[in-house]
């Protein structure tokens, strides 16, 4: 099969190579083989490629990629729910850092455990579906950890990014937040308000931690926990997914769970939740290196997606 691989750690543009005849992975009893239709890139992909997690990573070479949408073409002997022809999506690595799969999603085929895959919502394209799993679960599990319940207020740091755009929508439509504030640049205020933010804070003009309004939860997607703890109400919580942690803030590592996707599928199918692809997406498979370079600039709005995979 065709695949992008790296056999040493380093910058994506230096180490990522196209392999036209890479081995199709064998499936285990509890796995399905997916014909990959689309894959999304995440910061963890290039951090892994740089060797940040090599002490707990699987052996090289690697096919990168966590997020996938595609079609089941083969099922293992212990697979109960999925069958050939099912259109599915998910994050193929149950633990995002420890012992990740050697064959990820930037290939024509990938092998995935049945229990971490969900049926793709019928109204979403493969590219839209691929953009969701890791970022959606990150926001969903972060809100669960932060005890965001109906009637509580939330401040989302980094509302225009891949995680932030979904966090705004989840806070509004799924978790029932009473007020949603977010930080972003001036050029992205219209975007975040269109997604459901009640307050947009231009981080170039205002220091959110110095504003008088405080929140029940601050969800930090950018690594500013030291400031976030100053923006909560008494008894409030801070959940961060990046950078150093300042008490009483907490951090967590997202796990791949089909249950997260299944819980929000009705909201996706109704159109209340929308997948947001960066305007430059989708990148063709041949431009995967360029897609990584763009993601690494930090300027992406929504998700960077590769489609079609061929």
């Amino acid at each position: 099969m065709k695949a992008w691989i790296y056999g040493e750690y380093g910058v994506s543009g230096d180490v990522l190579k196209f392999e036209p005849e890479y081995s199709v992975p064998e499936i285990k009893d509890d796995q399905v083989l997916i014909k990959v239709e689309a894959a999304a890139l995440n910061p963890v992909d290039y951090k892994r490629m740089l060797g940040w997690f090599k002490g707990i990573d699987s052996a090289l070479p690697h096919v990168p990629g966590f997020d996938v949408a595609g079609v089941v073409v083969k099922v293992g002997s212990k697979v109960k729910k999925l069958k050939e022809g099912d259109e599915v999506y998910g994050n193929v690595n149950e633990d995002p850092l420890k012992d990740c799969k050697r064959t990820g999603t930037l290939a024509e085929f990938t092998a995935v455990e049945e229990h971490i895959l969900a049926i793709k919502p019928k109204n979403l394209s493969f590219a839209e579906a691929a953009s969701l799993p890791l970022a959606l679960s990150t926001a969903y599990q972060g809100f669960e950890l932060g005890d965001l319940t109906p009637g509580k207020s939330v401040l989302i740091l980094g509302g225009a990014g891949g995680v932030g755009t979904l966090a705004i929508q989840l806070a509004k439509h799924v978790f029932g937040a009473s007020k949603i504030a977010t930080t972003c640049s001036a050029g992205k205020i219209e975007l975040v308000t269109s997604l459901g933010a009640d307050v947009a804070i231009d981080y170039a003009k205002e220091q959110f931690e110095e504003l008088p309004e405080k929140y029940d939860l601050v969800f930090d997607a950018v690594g500013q926990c030291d400031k976030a703890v100053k923006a909560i109400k008494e008894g409030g919580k801070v959940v961060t997914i990046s950078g150093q942690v300042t008490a009483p803030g907490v951090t967590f590592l997202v796990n791949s769970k089909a249950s997260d996707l299944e819980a929000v599928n009705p909201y996706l199918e109704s159109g209340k939740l929308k997948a947001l692809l960066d305007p430059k997406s989708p990148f063709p498979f041949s431009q995967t290196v360029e897609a990584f370079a763009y993601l690494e600039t930090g300027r992406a709005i929504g998700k960077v997606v590769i489609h079609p995979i061929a």
Side-chain angles (χ1 to χ4, degrees):
M1 66 178 181
K2 299 172 184 175
W4 285 94
I5 69 169
Y6 58 96
E8 59 182 326
Y9 293 112
V11 177
S12 58
D14 296 332
V15 300
L16 198 58
K17 309 296 181 185
F18 180 71
E19 174 54 68
E21 296 183 358
Y22 200 69
S23 298
V24 175
E26 296 289 333
I27 60 170
K28 299 176 182 178
D29 291 345
D30 64 341
Q31 291 181 325
V32 300
L33 187 68
I34 297 174
K35 170 63 179 76
V36 180
E37 298 291 341
L41 305 186
N42 294 281
V44 68
D45 288 306
Y46 66 75
K47 292 175 181 177
R48 182 189 182 201
M49 203 179 310
L50 286 168
W52 285 26
F53 318 117
K54 61 183 177 182
I56 53 174
D57 207 347
S58 54
L60 293 167
H62 295 156
V63 173
F66 284 66
D67 285 328
V68 68
V71 180
V72 175
V73 294
K74 187 177 181 180
V75 300
S77 61
K78 295 183 179 179
V79 170
K80 300 286 178 61
K81 297 179 181 179
L82 297 178
K83 63 185 185 301
E84 291 181 17
D86 282 345
E87 296 181 351
V88 295
Y89 74 129
N91 165 10
V92 303
N93 289 305
E94 189 161 9
D95 186 321
L97 301 182
K98 185 179 179 181
D99 199 28
C100 290
K101 288 182 171 65
R102 295 181 69 188
T103 302
T105 62
L106 290 171
E108 289 185 281
F109 297 92
T110 192
V112 191
E113 290 76 15
E114 177 189 34
H115 74 273
I116 57 176
L117 292 169
I119 296 294
K120 180 182 75 66
K122 291 182 173 59
N123 61 318
L124 296 188
S125 68
F126 283 111
E128 290 171 328
S131 75
L132 294 170
L134 194 150
L136 190 150
S137 284
T138 299
Y140 192 94
Q141 293 174 30
F143 286 161
E144 287 188 320
L145 180 62
D147 194 29
L148 183 60
T149 52
K152 290 186 177 181
S153 59
V154 60
L155 169 61
I156 298 162
L157 305 184
V163 174
T165 53
L166 288 167
I168 292 170
Q169 297 180 76
L170 286 173
K172 182 177 182 67
H173 298 293
V174 179
F175 286 84
S178 60
K179 190 168 191 176
I180 303 165
T182 189
T183 59
C184 63
S185 64
K188 298 174 183 175
I189 289 175
E190 184 176 347
L191 167 67
V192 298
T193 53
S194 73
L195 293 173
D198 302 299
V199 178
I201 302 167
D202 180 353
Y203 59 71
K205 294 181 178 179
E206 295 184 290
Q207 301 298 312
F208 69 86
E209 73 275 16
E210 296 176 359
L211 298 176
E213 186 158 13
K214 306 302 176 185
Y215 299 87
D216 295 303
L217 171 65
V218 178
F219 180 76
D220 171 25
V222 297
Q224 294 183 322
C225 189
D226 57 332
K227 296 180 180 180
V229 296
K230 300 175 183 178
I232 53 173
K233 297 177 180 178
E234 185 175 353
K237 295 185 178 183
V238 173
V239 174
T240 184
I241 64 171
S242 177
Q244 298 296 314
V245 179
T246 302
V250 296
T251 189
F252 77 104
L253 291 176
V254 64
N255 288 312
S256 177
K257 293 181 180 179
S259 58
D260 295 342
L261 305 179
E262 291 164 352
V264 302
N265 270 2
Y267 299 91
L268 291 164
E269 291 174 345
S270 69
K272 288 183 177 180
L273 293 182
K274 300 181 185 301
L276 183 66
L277 273 60
D278 181 88
K280 292 182 179 292
S281 288
F283 285 80
F285 195 49
S286 61
Q287 292 182 15
T288 294
V289 173
E290 290 84 349
F292 266 107
Y294 177 60
L295 178 67
E296 290 165 24
T297 66
R299 295 197 295 268
I301 301 171
K303 293 303 294 289
V304 175
V305 175
I306 309 295
H307 171 76
I309 305 293

